[in-house]
Amino acid sequence: TTNRGELTPLILENLLFLEADGKVLKAYVETSEYPIVFTSPGLKNFFDQHLTVFGKRFFQLSRKHVINLRKVERVRDNHVILPSPNKNPSKTKEVSLAFPANSDSKKQLIEILERGNF
């Protein structure tokens, strides 16, 4: 449910990543330049509550980001590179999300990508 009580479908095949800002979540999708904004009990709780829907296709990169594993273009240094949701050709064509410092998430992500079972 987004602002003003509107229901907006979130098609997982189009979802690039979720970004948290406190209790406000932004869902960035391939088909829109603008994110779908909604409130939740927090990213971890939202992700855990919907884990059966997200399945193995999504990975919690940090407290702030959940990414679609099928959309990962590459891992460079300490960043995950995803396609940009922007449809404007003058804007950047990729999004770079940093791995959290002092975390095993980079190692875990690389292991998952190498196995390829998502």
Side-chain angles (χ1 to χ4, degrees):
T1 304
T2 57
N3 62 351
R4 298 188 194 108
E6 297 173 352
L7 294 176
T8 303
L10 185 57
I11 300 168
L12 293 182
E13 288 77 30
N14 295 333
L15 180 61
L16 297 169
F17 64 97
L18 294 170
E19 182 175 65
D21 186 8
K23 302 257 184 234
V24 175
L25 295 184
K26 296 177 183 176
Y28 290 88
V29 294
E30 291 176 316
T31 56
S32 176
E33 183 174 349
Y34 303 102
I36 299 168
V37 180
F38 57 99
T39 59
S40 79
L43 183 60
K44 179 167 179 37
N45 291 334
F46 179 80
F47 186 61
D48 289 345
Q49 287 172 358
H50 297 89
L51 198 52
T52 56
V53 175
F54 287 122
K56 294 182 179 182
R57 292 182 292 174
F58 291 85
F59 176 76
Q60 185 159 5
L61 182 69
S62 64
R63 288 188 290 173
K64 190 172 180 171
H65 294 105
V66 168
I67 61 171
N68 185 339
L69 293 168
R70 295 179 180 172
K71 304 298 180 182
V72 173
E73 292 184 343
R74 63 190 178 281
V75 175
R76 181 178 60 213
D77 300 324
N78 286 323
H79 292 82
V80 175
I81 310 300
L82 300 165
S84 174
N86 298 325
K87 298 300 177 193
N88 185 339
S90 67
K91 293 188 179 182
T92 182
K93 294 183 190 235
E94 61 186 31
V95 174
S96 176
L97 303 176
F99 287 102
N102 302 322
S103 169
D104 288 337
S105 61
K106 180 177 181 180
K107 179 182 172 189
Q108 291 171 355
L109 177 62
I110 290 173
E111 287 173 1
I112 292 168
L113 293 173
E114 285 176 345
R115 284 194 309 259
N117 60 344
F118 47 88

